[in-house]
Amino acid sequence: MSWAEGRRPTTEPPSTTPILNTHMEQQRGLLLLFLGVQLLLMGAFLYQNRHRHSFTSFLRVLIQDRPTVGEELPFLVSVSAAQTSSQDVYTNLSQIHPVGVSEEDLPSCPLISPYINGPLKVMIPENLTMEQVVEKNPLVELGGQYRPPDCWTRHHTAVVVPYYGQVQHLQHLLFHLHPFLQRQQLHYAIYVVNQVHTTAFNRGKLRNVGFWEAMQEEEWDCVFFHDVNLLPEDDRNLYICDIFPAHVSVAIDKFNYKLPYHGYLGGVFALRPTHYLRINGFPNSYWYWDHEDHDIAARLQLSGMLLSRPHLLFGRYHMLEGQDPSHQQSPQSPGLLASIHHKWQQDGMNSLGYRRLSKELQPLYTNLTVDINFPTSQP
């Protein structure tokens, strides 16, 4: 069955809070069982293949404080040695080069990329041009696609960037994000969704467009929705999907590296395609940024899914200067969840309407120019 089959969500929203809590407790139990099986299988794999990372280092990845009831689950990340100093994001990337064998004969990439260091310095050259960014990333293919040239990776991630004319922000993001993703040995592509013919920004609808267009190209197993003005500061924040949807940008410098309020979901958000369709994508009805993040949080709750987040030490981001109202939303207002309950299954991917004006394969990204004022389709 393809990813597009069954586009309408089939999960009915829970009718009472006790039922929802029971469902979440069952999912927690299944998660712990899943982690236990993973631990046993990975231990056998590492022992058999004499992986250079010891079994105890893998244990450090999995052994974390368990969340209490109501908390989000921790995001599974690889942990390097403590007190690691910050490095430039391009450090050691010159060591990556083709090995002169066919793709079928490439060895599998290691479980933990040897290029992952931890904290990264955010250093943007003065008067940076797009030509300079291209020169710094010679292995990125047309359209912004990249595959590790020296190993076969099991992770395939599409990065969708809603865009509204922030030229300098886009240059800075591409300069920083391409080497960041290459350090993690991912197969990835960057899709920039450019809105025209309107004065009001609709980030949710642009995300839906980016998801649909990206999935027409590749069977991505993970989709990251990335604000153009956020640069990750730690490469242990892996851009791969967990077994639950993930809010990744949990520690932004503008907010003193902590969530501005409980329930904040702005910035960088990741889901598997099946998760995305289960929540019916993002809402199409929010112009500007009013309550969009709260709608997403409600969709997760109503569809019975938990939320994953990385540790605050890993999910650190630098916010580029400039006004961005998407990070100025207020906490959820009373009654909003009830309002979303009545419309979320009719407002999303199954009602998406737009017109693609152009698709350009740029050296560092795929540029999708769309008119989202095209009438919304009926579910």
Side-chain angles (χ1 to χ4, degrees):
M1 179 181 292
S2 68
W3 70 271
E5 292 181 16
R7 288 177 57 192
R8 295 175 185 270
T10 58
T11 303
E12 293 295 330
S15 58
T16 63
T17 301
I19 293 177
L20 178 59
N21 290 338
T22 300
H23 186 57
M24 293 177 68
E25 288 299 326
Q26 291 175 346
Q27 285 196 337
R28 290 180 189 276
L30 291 174
L31 172 63
L32 294 178
L33 177 62
F34 173 78
L35 293 178
V37 174
Q38 268 196 333
L39 178 60
L40 293 175
L41 293 177
M42 197 61 65
F45 176 82
L46 294 176
Y47 178 80
Q48 180 180 1
N49 291 275
R50 302 178 183 272
H51 197 274
R52 67 183 184 86
H53 294 281
S54 68
F55 184 61
T56 56
S57 69
F58 179 71
L59 283 175
R60 289 200 301 272
V61 176
L62 291 182
I63 298 176
Q64 305 183 35
D65 292 336
R66 297 301 179 197
T68 59
V69 175
E71 290 184 341
E72 292 83 2
L73 290 170
F75 195 56
L76 298 183
V77 295
S78 54
V79 182
S80 60
Q83 307 299 325
T84 304
S85 59
S86 298
Q87 290 188 1
D88 181 86
V89 70
Y90 284 93
T91 299
N92 297 331
L93 288 191
S94 60
Q95 300 176 11
I96 302 177
H97 52 79
V99 293
V101 299
S102 65
E103 184 177 343
E104 293 76 14
D105 295 328
L106 286 175
S108 295
C109 296
L111 294 173
I112 302 175
S113 170
Y115 306 105
I116 288 180
N117 172 73
L120 298 171
K121 298 177 182 178
V122 176
M123 299 185 299
I124 305 298
E126 189 175 0
N127 301 320
L128 180 69
T129 65
M130 198 66 80
E131 290 74 20
Q132 291 173 323
V133 183
V134 172
E135 185 177 351
K136 292 282 287 184
N137 294 274
L139 297 178
V140 175
E141 300 174 0
L142 197 64
Q145 284 224 29
Y146 172 86
R147 297 175 187 268
D150 52 355
C151 63
W152 179 86
T153 180
R154 61 184 59 82
H155 302 298
H156 311 275
T157 298
V159 180
V160 174
V161 182
Y163 181 71
Y164 198 51
Q166 309 99 317
V167 177
Q168 188 177 65
H169 284 177
L170 180 59
Q171 289 181 355
H172 293 177
L173 175 68
L174 295 171
F175 176 83
H176 188 84
L177 189 60
H178 271 296
F180 173 87
L181 297 173
Q182 292 168 40
R183 300 179 74 85
Q184 299 182 7
Q185 294 185 314
L186 309 178
H187 167 217
Y188 70 86
I190 297 178
Y191 298 87
V192 176
V193 191
N194 184 25
Q195 174 182 333
V196 297
H197 298 330
T198 184
T199 57
F201 188 53
N202 190 324
R203 184 175 59 172
K205 197 167 188 179
L206 292 179
R207 285 170 163 177
N208 287 337
V209 171
F211 173 84
W212 178 262
E213 294 285 343
M215 296 303 297
Q216 304 307 302
E217 281 198 346
E218 298 267 354
E219 292 187 1
W220 302 106
D221 56 33
C222 182
V223 182
F224 266 68
F225 299 93
H226 209 294
D227 281 2
V228 71
N229 64 341
L230 290 180
L231 308 183
E233 296 183 352
D234 197 303
D235 58 17
R236 292 170 294 184
N237 186 6
L238 302 182
Y239 274 41
I240 61 177
C241 280
D242 203 349
I243 60 174
F244 294 111
H247 176 228
V248 183
S249 53
V250 296
I252 301 175
D253 56 358
K254 180 178 179 179
F255 304 134
N256 297 317
Y257 292 107
K258 60 183 181 181
L259 293 175
Y261 57 83
H262 180 73
Y264 175 76
L265 291 180
V268 184
F269 197 82
L271 309 91
R272 293 186 181 276
T274 53
H275 296 154
Y276 193 78
L277 296 175
R278 186 172 173 181
I279 66 171
N280 195 21
F282 291 92
N284 298 315
S285 57
Y286 293 105
W287 298 89
Y288 298 102
W289 291 268
D290 187 34
H291 294 310
E292 178 194 337
D293 292 338
H294 307 316
D295 192 301
I296 299 167
R299 288 169 185 248
L300 293 175
Q301 181 179 352
L302 292 168
S303 60
M305 285 190 287
L306 299 178
L307 179 68
S308 173
R309 279 185 167 129
H311 193 282
L312 289 175
L313 291 178
F314 300 157
R316 296 167 66 91
Y317 284 79
H318 169 68
M319 181 182 289
L320 297 171
E321 294 182 1
Q323 295 295 321
D324 185 356
S326 66
H327 301 284
Q328 299 174 7
Q329 298 185 58
S330 58
Q332 180 174 314
S333 59
L336 181 62
L337 179 60
S339 173
I340 297 170
H341 187 181
H342 292 293
K343 67 177 184 179
W344 72 282
Q345 290 182 315
Q346 289 76 44
D347 179 18
M349 280 300 299
N350 63 354
S351 63
L352 177 64
Y354 71 100
R355 183 159 54 101
R356 193 180 78 188
L357 303 179
S358 67
K359 178 180 179 180
E360 302 168 291
L361 301 182
Q362 301 289 344
L364 296 172
Y365 62 96
T366 295
N367 186 66
L368 300 165
T369 302
V370 297
D371 179 4
I372 58 175
N373 281 338
F374 197 78
T376 299
S377 61
Q378 296 298 320

